Amino acid sequence: MMIVLKKVVLPLMLAAASLCSIGQAQAALITIETNKQQYQIGEKVTAFLKLSDAESLFSGFFLALQYQHSKLQLVNWGHGNSFDDGFGSYQYSEHDAATGRLALEDYADWAADQAILTALQLGSFTLAKIEFTALAAGQFSLNLDPAYFGLLTFSGDLLQPEWQDARFDVIANPAAVPATPAMALMIGGLLLLGVQRRRQLKKSALKAVAI
């Protein structure tokens, strides 16, 4: 079913949409957001693709996320539910690990309940969630392939909205901080107090037994 959609239905949808105006390019904004701005090597990086400032009801999207594949390992991804009226949507994904590119598509059924989709698409909503593992330190960015992204509306328009990338840092795992001389003296003193306390308790216990 997904292969048929990819090879037959999608080209027809894009061809039909291309006949309509694409002058509404400022009608929506796609942002890529990460759950933090700084990570350590080996830590999980979670990113969200979100759509906001929408002025139309959308029936689907297609895009490709690009990342530094030599230093980030893609481990998981999933679509949102904003094109699913309860009876499913047509989702597609294709990952090219050699180039660091993840293509994602999601389309509502042609007979989907538009009232439900309108409620799901109020304000800002999530198109997809992607998870990476940080393999090396450095400065990173997640961005979209400018030659492959767009939004489809139920009115037949194909929109190419503005988008914002995500930037974050990965740092090496901090080494253990060696104890300073003062800290070493304090620890030694605490240990000595503990030994003396145990001796006093032992003597008290022996006296109590003798009595």
PDB file of all heavy atoms in Angstrom, residues 143-172:
ATOM      1  N   ASN A 143      19.116  20.419   9.850  1.00  0.00           N
ATOM      2  CA  ASN A 143      18.439  21.294   8.897  1.00  0.00           C
ATOM      3  C   ASN A 143      17.660  20.489   7.865  1.00  0.00           C
ATOM      4  O   ASN A 143      17.766  19.260   7.799  1.00  0.00           O
ATOM      5  CB  ASN A 143      19.451  22.224   8.221  1.00  0.00           C
ATOM      6  CG  ASN A 143      20.603  21.459   7.608  1.00  0.00           C
ATOM      7  OD1 ASN A 143      20.451  20.802   6.584  1.00  0.00           O
ATOM      8  ND2 ASN A 143      21.775  21.525   8.227  1.00  0.00           N
ATOM      9  N   LEU A 144      16.889  21.197   7.052  1.00  0.00           N
ATOM     10  CA  LEU A 144      16.087  20.568   6.015  1.00  0.00           C
ATOM     11  C   LEU A 144      16.765  20.675   4.662  1.00  0.00           C
ATOM     12  O   LEU A 144      17.498  21.636   4.398  1.00  0.00           O
ATOM     13  CB  LEU A 144      14.697  21.218   5.944  1.00  0.00           C
ATOM     14  CG  LEU A 144      13.816  21.139   7.191  1.00  0.00           C
ATOM     15  CD1 LEU A 144      12.455  21.770   6.912  1.00  0.00           C
ATOM     16  CD2 LEU A 144      13.658  19.713   7.670  1.00  0.00           C
ATOM     17  N   ASP A 145      16.526  19.682   3.825  1.00  0.00           N
ATOM     18  CA  ASP A 145      16.981  19.732   2.443  1.00  0.00           C
ATOM     19  C   ASP A 145      16.121  20.764   1.713  1.00  0.00           C
ATOM     20  O   ASP A 145      14.914  20.566   1.549  1.00  0.00           O
ATOM     21  CB  ASP A 145      16.816  18.352   1.807  1.00  0.00           C
ATOM     22  CG  ASP A 145      17.313  18.316   0.368  1.00  0.00           C
ATOM     23  OD1 ASP A 145      17.594  19.394  -0.198  1.00  0.00           O
ATOM     24  OD2 ASP A 145      17.409  17.221  -0.186  1.00  0.00           O
ATOM     25  N   PRO A 146      16.700  21.886   1.290  1.00  0.00           N
ATOM     26  CA  PRO A 146      15.878  22.950   0.674  1.00  0.00           C
ATOM     27  C   PRO A 146      15.230  22.540  -0.640  1.00  0.00           C
ATOM     28  O   PRO A 146      14.284  23.186  -1.096  1.00  0.00           O
ATOM     29  CB  PRO A 146      16.890  24.090   0.459  1.00  0.00           C
ATOM     30  CG  PRO A 146      18.218  23.415   0.418  1.00  0.00           C
ATOM     31  CD  PRO A 146      18.121  22.252   1.353  1.00  0.00           C
ATOM     32  N   ALA A 147      15.706  21.456  -1.243  1.00  0.00           N
ATOM     33  CA  ALA A 147      15.132  21.000  -2.512  1.00  0.00           C
ATOM     34  C   ALA A 147      13.984  20.026  -2.318  1.00  0.00           C
ATOM     35  O   ALA A 147      13.374  19.586  -3.302  1.00  0.00           O
ATOM     36  CB  ALA A 147      16.223  20.352  -3.370  1.00  0.00           C
ATOM     37  N   TYR A 148      13.698  19.680  -1.053  1.00  0.00           N
ATOM     38  CA  TYR A 148      12.674  18.654  -0.832  1.00  0.00           C
ATOM     39  C   TYR A 148      11.912  18.929   0.452  1.00  0.00           C
ATOM     40  O   TYR A 148      12.193  18.347   1.493  1.00  0.00           O
ATOM     41  CB  TYR A 148      13.337  17.269  -0.782  1.00  0.00           C
ATOM     42  CG  TYR A 148      12.356  16.115  -0.675  1.00  0.00           C
ATOM     43  CD1 TYR A 148      11.655  15.664  -1.787  1.00  0.00           C
ATOM     44  CD2 TYR A 148      12.143  15.473   0.538  1.00  0.00           C
ATOM     45  CE1 TYR A 148      10.760  14.615  -1.687  1.00  0.00           C
ATOM     46  CE2 TYR A 148      11.254  14.419   0.644  1.00  0.00           C
ATOM     47  CZ  TYR A 148      10.570  13.997  -0.473  1.00  0.00           C
ATOM     48  OH  TYR A 148       9.683  12.948  -0.371  1.00  0.00           O
ATOM     49  N   PHE A 149      10.961  19.828   0.399  1.00  0.00           N
ATOM     50  CA  PHE A 149      10.049  20.004   1.515  1.00  0.00           C
ATOM     51  C   PHE A 149       8.848  20.823   1.051  1.00  0.00           C
ATOM     52  O   PHE A 149       8.953  21.677   0.164  1.00  0.00           O
ATOM     53  CB  PHE A 149      10.728  20.667   2.715  1.00  0.00           C
ATOM     54  CG  PHE A 149      10.941  22.158   2.588  1.00  0.00           C
ATOM     55  CD1 PHE A 149      10.086  23.051   3.201  1.00  0.00           C
ATOM     56  CD2 PHE A 149      12.013  22.656   1.859  1.00  0.00           C
ATOM     57  CE1 PHE A 149      10.286  24.413   3.099  1.00  0.00           C
ATOM     58  CE2 PHE A 149      12.228  24.019   1.752  1.00  0.00           C
ATOM     59  CZ  PHE A 149      11.352  24.901   2.374  1.00  0.00           C
ATOM     60  N   GLY A 150       7.722  20.528   1.653  1.00  0.00           N
ATOM     61  CA  GLY A 150       6.513  21.250   1.301  1.00  0.00           C
ATOM     62  C   GLY A 150       5.322  20.785   2.121  1.00  0.00           C
ATOM     63  O   GLY A 150       5.363  19.746   2.775  1.00  0.00           O
ATOM     64  N   LEU A 151       4.263  21.593   2.082  1.00  0.00           N
ATOM     65  CA  LEU A 151       3.022  21.298   2.776  1.00  0.00           C
ATOM     66  C   LEU A 151       1.888  21.269   1.768  1.00  0.00           C
ATOM     67  O   LEU A 151       1.844  22.086   0.847  1.00  0.00           O
ATOM     68  CB  LEU A 151       2.737  22.360   3.844  1.00  0.00           C
ATOM     69  CG  LEU A 151       3.785  22.567   4.937  1.00  0.00           C
ATOM     70  CD1 LEU A 151       3.449  23.807   5.748  1.00  0.00           C
ATOM     71  CD2 LEU A 151       3.855  21.343   5.839  1.00  0.00           C
ATOM     72  N   LEU A 152       0.960  20.347   1.955  1.00  0.00           N
ATOM     73  CA  LEU A 152      -0.217  20.255   1.098  1.00  0.00           C
ATOM     74  C   LEU A 152      -1.451  20.639   1.902  1.00  0.00           C
ATOM     75  O   LEU A 152      -1.583  20.253   3.069  1.00  0.00           O
ATOM     76  CB  LEU A 152      -0.381  18.830   0.557  1.00  0.00           C
ATOM     77  CG  LEU A 152       0.733  18.312  -0.347  1.00  0.00           C
ATOM     78  CD1 LEU A 152       0.506  16.841  -0.662  1.00  0.00           C
ATOM     79  CD2 LEU A 152       0.810  19.115  -1.633  1.00  0.00           C
ATOM     80  N   THR A 153      -2.349  21.395   1.299  1.00  0.00           N
ATOM     81  CA  THR A 153      -3.581  21.797   1.965  1.00  0.00           C
ATOM     82  C   THR A 153      -4.766  21.070   1.345  1.00  0.00           C
ATOM     83  O   THR A 153      -4.692  20.568   0.223  1.00  0.00           O
ATOM     84  CB  THR A 153      -3.812  23.316   1.842  1.00  0.00           C
ATOM     85  OG1 THR A 153      -4.166  23.632   0.480  1.00  0.00           O
ATOM     86  CG2 THR A 153      -2.569  24.105   2.222  1.00  0.00           C
ATOM     87  N   PHE A 154      -5.870  21.038   2.083  1.00  0.00           N
ATOM     88  CA  PHE A 154      -7.080  20.413   1.563  1.00  0.00           C
ATOM     89  C   PHE A 154      -7.682  21.219   0.422  1.00  0.00           C
ATOM     90  O   PHE A 154      -8.493  20.696  -0.347  1.00  0.00           O
ATOM     91  CB  PHE A 154      -8.110  20.242   2.689  1.00  0.00           C
ATOM     92  CG  PHE A 154      -7.893  19.000   3.507  1.00  0.00           C
ATOM     93  CD1 PHE A 154      -7.260  19.057   4.733  1.00  0.00           C
ATOM     94  CD2 PHE A 154      -8.327  17.758   3.044  1.00  0.00           C
ATOM     95  CE1 PHE A 154      -7.065  17.912   5.490  1.00  0.00           C
ATOM     96  CE2 PHE A 154      -8.132  16.610   3.793  1.00  0.00           C
ATOM     97  CZ  PHE A 154      -7.505  16.686   5.016  1.00  0.00           C
ATOM     98  N   SER A 155      -7.283  22.481   0.316  1.00  0.00           N
ATOM     99  CA  SER A 155      -7.788  23.306  -0.784  1.00  0.00           C
ATOM    100  C   SER A 155      -6.971  23.132  -2.058  1.00  0.00           C
ATOM    101  O   SER A 155      -7.263  23.752  -3.074  1.00  0.00           O
ATOM    102  CB  SER A 155      -7.807  24.778  -0.375  1.00  0.00           C
ATOM    103  OG  SER A 155      -6.505  25.217  -0.017  1.00  0.00           O
ATOM    104  N   GLY A 156      -5.914  22.300  -2.008  1.00  0.00           N
ATOM    105  CA  GLY A 156      -5.152  21.998  -3.216  1.00  0.00           C
ATOM    106  C   GLY A 156      -3.892  22.809  -3.405  1.00  0.00           C
ATOM    107  O   GLY A 156      -3.285  22.759  -4.476  1.00  0.00           O
ATOM    108  N   ASP A 157      -3.464  23.564  -2.390  1.00  0.00           N
ATOM    109  CA  ASP A 157      -2.250  24.376  -2.508  1.00  0.00           C
ATOM    110  C   ASP A 157      -1.019  23.596  -2.054  1.00  0.00           C
ATOM    111  O   ASP A 157      -1.086  22.770  -1.140  1.00  0.00           O
ATOM    112  CB  ASP A 157      -2.361  25.655  -1.664  1.00  0.00           C
ATOM    113  CG  ASP A 157      -3.434  26.594  -2.185  1.00  0.00           C
ATOM    114  OD1 ASP A 157      -3.573  26.699  -3.408  1.00  0.00           O
ATOM    115  OD2 ASP A 157      -4.126  27.201  -1.348  1.00  0.00           O
ATOM    116  N   LEU A 158       0.093  23.868  -2.690  1.00  0.00           N
ATOM    117  CA  LEU A 158       1.389  23.363  -2.273  1.00  0.00           C
ATOM    118  C   LEU A 158       2.182  24.534  -1.719  1.00  0.00           C
ATOM    119  O   LEU A 158       2.490  25.479  -2.448  1.00  0.00           O
ATOM    120  CB  LEU A 158       2.134  22.723  -3.447  1.00  0.00           C
ATOM    121  CG  LEU A 158       3.599  22.340  -3.198  1.00  0.00           C
ATOM    122  CD1 LEU A 158       3.698  21.302  -2.086  1.00  0.00           C
ATOM    123  CD2 LEU A 158       4.257  21.826  -4.473  1.00  0.00           C
ATOM    124  N   LEU A 159       2.501  24.490  -0.428  1.00  0.00           N
ATOM    125  CA  LEU A 159       3.207  25.584   0.228  1.00  0.00           C
ATOM    126  C   LEU A 159       4.633  25.178   0.538  1.00  0.00           C
ATOM    127  O   LEU A 159       4.902  24.033   0.906  1.00  0.00           O
ATOM    128  CB  LEU A 159       2.499  25.982   1.519  1.00  0.00           C
ATOM    129  CG  LEU A 159       1.013  26.340   1.444  1.00  0.00           C
ATOM    130  CD1 LEU A 159       0.517  26.761   2.811  1.00  0.00           C
ATOM    131  CD2 LEU A 159       0.764  27.429   0.418  1.00  0.00           C
ATOM    132  N   GLN A 160       5.537  26.117   0.412  1.00  0.00           N
ATOM    133  CA  GLN A 160       6.927  25.937   0.830  1.00  0.00           C
ATOM    134  C   GLN A 160       7.213  26.973   1.910  1.00  0.00           C
ATOM    135  O   GLN A 160       7.617  28.091   1.622  1.00  0.00           O
ATOM    136  CB  GLN A 160       7.870  26.077  -0.367  1.00  0.00           C
ATOM    137  CG  GLN A 160       7.735  24.942  -1.373  1.00  0.00           C
ATOM    138  CD  GLN A 160       8.739  25.039  -2.495  1.00  0.00           C
ATOM    139  OE1 GLN A 160       8.968  26.110  -3.042  1.00  0.00           O
ATOM    140  NE2 GLN A 160       9.342  23.913  -2.832  1.00  0.00           N
ATOM    141  N   PRO A 161       7.005  26.599   3.171  1.00  0.00           N
ATOM    142  CA  PRO A 161       7.092  27.567   4.265  1.00  0.00           C
ATOM    143  C   PRO A 161       8.524  27.909   4.638  1.00  0.00           C
ATOM    144  O   PRO A 161       9.481  27.274   4.183  1.00  0.00           O
ATOM    145  CB  PRO A 161       6.391  26.835   5.411  1.00  0.00           C
ATOM    146  CG  PRO A 161       6.718  25.399   5.140  1.00  0.00           C
ATOM    147  CD  PRO A 161       6.680  25.251   3.636  1.00  0.00           C
ATOM    148  N   GLU A 162       8.659  28.907   5.480  1.00  0.00           N
ATOM    149  CA  GLU A 162       9.947  29.193   6.085  1.00  0.00           C
ATOM    150  C   GLU A 162      10.289  28.077   7.064  1.00  0.00           C
ATOM    151  O   GLU A 162       9.412  27.374   7.563  1.00  0.00           O
ATOM    152  CB  GLU A 162       9.891  30.531   6.827  1.00  0.00           C
ATOM    153  CG  GLU A 162       9.662  31.737   5.937  1.00  0.00           C
ATOM    154  CD  GLU A 162      10.858  32.035   5.040  1.00  0.00           C
ATOM    155  OE1 GLU A 162      12.000  31.836   5.510  1.00  0.00           O
ATOM    156  OE2 GLU A 162      10.648  32.441   3.897  1.00  0.00           O
ATOM    157  N   TRP A 163      11.578  27.928   7.360  1.00  0.00           N
ATOM    158  CA  TRP A 163      11.964  26.929   8.351  1.00  0.00           C
ATOM    159  C   TRP A 163      13.204  27.404   9.103  1.00  0.00           C
ATOM    160  O   TRP A 163      13.966  28.222   8.612  1.00  0.00           O
ATOM    161  CB  TRP A 163      12.220  25.561   7.699  1.00  0.00           C
ATOM    162  CG  TRP A 163      13.339  25.529   6.696  1.00  0.00           C
ATOM    163  CD1 TRP A 163      13.254  25.832   5.366  1.00  0.00           C
ATOM    164  CD2 TRP A 163      14.702  25.176   6.935  1.00  0.00           C
ATOM    165  NE1 TRP A 163      14.469  25.687   4.762  1.00  0.00           N
ATOM    166  CE2 TRP A 163      15.386  25.277   5.693  1.00  0.00           C
ATOM    167  CE3 TRP A 163      15.414  24.763   8.054  1.00  0.00           C
ATOM    168  CZ2 TRP A 163      16.741  24.994   5.566  1.00  0.00           C
ATOM    169  CZ3 TRP A 163      16.757  24.478   7.924  1.00  0.00           C
ATOM    170  CH2 TRP A 163      17.404  24.599   6.689  1.00  0.00           C
ATOM    171  N   GLN A 164      13.364  26.889  10.324  1.00  0.00           N
ATOM    172  CA  GLN A 164      14.493  27.234  11.186  1.00  0.00           C
ATOM    173  C   GLN A 164      15.205  25.961  11.616  1.00  0.00           C
ATOM    174  O   GLN A 164      14.556  24.996  12.030  1.00  0.00           O
ATOM    175  CB  GLN A 164      14.017  28.007  12.423  1.00  0.00           C
ATOM    176  CG  GLN A 164      13.432  29.378  12.119  1.00  0.00           C
ATOM    177  CD  GLN A 164      12.959  30.092  13.359  1.00  0.00           C
ATOM    178  OE1 GLN A 164      12.927  29.518  14.454  1.00  0.00           O
ATOM    179  NE2 GLN A 164      12.567  31.348  13.222  1.00  0.00           N
ATOM    180  N   ASP A 165      16.528  25.973  11.520  1.00  0.00           N
ATOM    181  CA  ASP A 165      17.299  24.796  11.892  1.00  0.00           C
ATOM    182  C   ASP A 165      17.518  24.755  13.406  1.00  0.00           C
ATOM    183  O   ASP A 165      17.134  25.665  14.142  1.00  0.00           O
ATOM    184  CB  ASP A 165      18.627  24.754  11.149  1.00  0.00           C
ATOM    185  CG  ASP A 165      19.526  25.940  11.506  1.00  0.00           C
ATOM    186  OD1 ASP A 165      19.083  26.814  12.280  1.00  0.00           O
ATOM    187  OD2 ASP A 165      20.660  26.002  11.004  1.00  0.00           O
ATOM    188  N   ALA A 166      18.125  23.678  13.870  1.00  0.00           N
ATOM    189  CA  ALA A 166      18.468  23.526  15.284  1.00  0.00           C
ATOM    190  C   ALA A 166      19.979  23.453  15.416  1.00  0.00           C
ATOM    191  O   ALA A 166      20.653  22.806  14.607  1.00  0.00           O
ATOM    192  CB  ALA A 166      17.825  22.263  15.856  1.00  0.00           C
ATOM    193  N   ARG A 167      20.516  24.098  16.437  1.00  0.00           N
ATOM    194  CA  ARG A 167      21.960  24.087  16.691  1.00  0.00           C
ATOM    195  C   ARG A 167      22.206  23.706  18.147  1.00  0.00           C
ATOM    196  O   ARG A 167      21.500  24.170  19.046  1.00  0.00           O
ATOM    197  CB  ARG A 167      22.579  25.451  16.376  1.00  0.00           C
ATOM    198  CG  ARG A 167      22.431  25.851  14.904  1.00  0.00           C
ATOM    199  CD  ARG A 167      23.022  27.213  14.617  1.00  0.00           C
ATOM    200  NE  ARG A 167      22.818  27.587  13.218  1.00  0.00           N
ATOM    201  CZ  ARG A 167      23.614  27.247  12.225  1.00  0.00           C
ATOM    202  NH1 ARG A 167      24.718  26.540  12.497  1.00  0.00           N
ATOM    203  NH2 ARG A 167      23.365  27.614  10.984  1.00  0.00           N
ATOM    204  N   PHE A 168      23.213  22.872  18.370  1.00  0.00           N
ATOM    205  CA  PHE A 168      23.527  22.436  19.725  1.00  0.00           C
ATOM    206  C   PHE A 168      24.985  21.996  19.786  1.00  0.00           C
ATOM    207  O   PHE A 168      25.648  21.814  18.756  1.00  0.00           O
ATOM    208  CB  PHE A 168      22.608  21.292  20.151  1.00  0.00           C
ATOM    209  CG  PHE A 168      22.648  20.093  19.253  1.00  0.00           C
ATOM    210  CD1 PHE A 168      23.510  19.035  19.489  1.00  0.00           C
ATOM    211  CD2 PHE A 168      21.812  20.024  18.151  1.00  0.00           C
ATOM    212  CE1 PHE A 168      23.555  17.937  18.648  1.00  0.00           C
ATOM    213  CE2 PHE A 168      21.834  18.921  17.298  1.00  0.00           C
ATOM    214  CZ  PHE A 168      22.710  17.882  17.549  1.00  0.00           C
ATOM    215  N   ASP A 169      25.484  21.849  21.015  1.00  0.00           N
ATOM    216  CA  ASP A 169      26.877  21.455  21.257  1.00  0.00           C
ATOM    217  C   ASP A 169      26.928  20.089  21.915  1.00  0.00           C
ATOM    218  O   ASP A 169      26.039  19.719  22.702  1.00  0.00           O
ATOM    219  CB  ASP A 169      27.585  22.475  22.151  1.00  0.00           C
ATOM    220  CG  ASP A 169      27.644  23.863  21.530  1.00  0.00           C
ATOM    221  OD1 ASP A 169      27.812  23.946  20.299  1.00  0.00           O
ATOM    222  OD2 ASP A 169      27.519  24.848  22.277  1.00  0.00           O
ATOM    223  N   VAL A 170      27.980  19.352  21.610  1.00  0.00           N
ATOM    224  CA  VAL A 170      28.282  18.103  22.293  1.00  0.00           C
ATOM    225  C   VAL A 170      29.674  18.244  22.889  1.00  0.00           C
ATOM    226  O   VAL A 170      30.625  18.625  22.190  1.00  0.00           O
ATOM    227  CB  VAL A 170      28.228  16.893  21.342  1.00  0.00           C
ATOM    228  CG1 VAL A 170      28.658  15.622  22.074  1.00  0.00           C
ATOM    229  CG2 VAL A 170      26.832  16.730  20.761  1.00  0.00           C
ATOM    230  N   ILE A 171      29.802  17.967  24.182  1.00  0.00           N
ATOM    231  CA  ILE A 171      31.079  18.113  24.869  1.00  0.00           C
ATOM    232  C   ILE A 171      31.567  16.740  25.337  1.00  0.00           C
ATOM    233  O   ILE A 171      30.782  15.800  25.465  1.00  0.00           O
ATOM    234  CB  ILE A 171      30.979  19.072  26.070  1.00  0.00           C
ATOM    235  CG1 ILE A 171      29.983  18.539  27.100  1.00  0.00           C
ATOM    236  CG2 ILE A 171      30.575  20.464  25.610  1.00  0.00           C
ATOM    237  CD1 ILE A 171      29.918  19.346  28.380  1.00  0.00           C
ATOM    238  N   ALA A 172      32.869  16.654  25.578  1.00  0.00           N
ATOM    239  CA  ALA A 172      33.438  15.419  26.105  1.00  0.00           C
ATOM    240  C   ALA A 172      32.974  15.227  27.538  1.00  0.00           C
ATOM    241  O   ALA A 172      32.682  16.187  28.262  1.00  0.00           O
ATOM    242  CB  ALA A 172      34.963  15.470  26.038  1.00  0.00           C
TER     243      ALA A 172
END
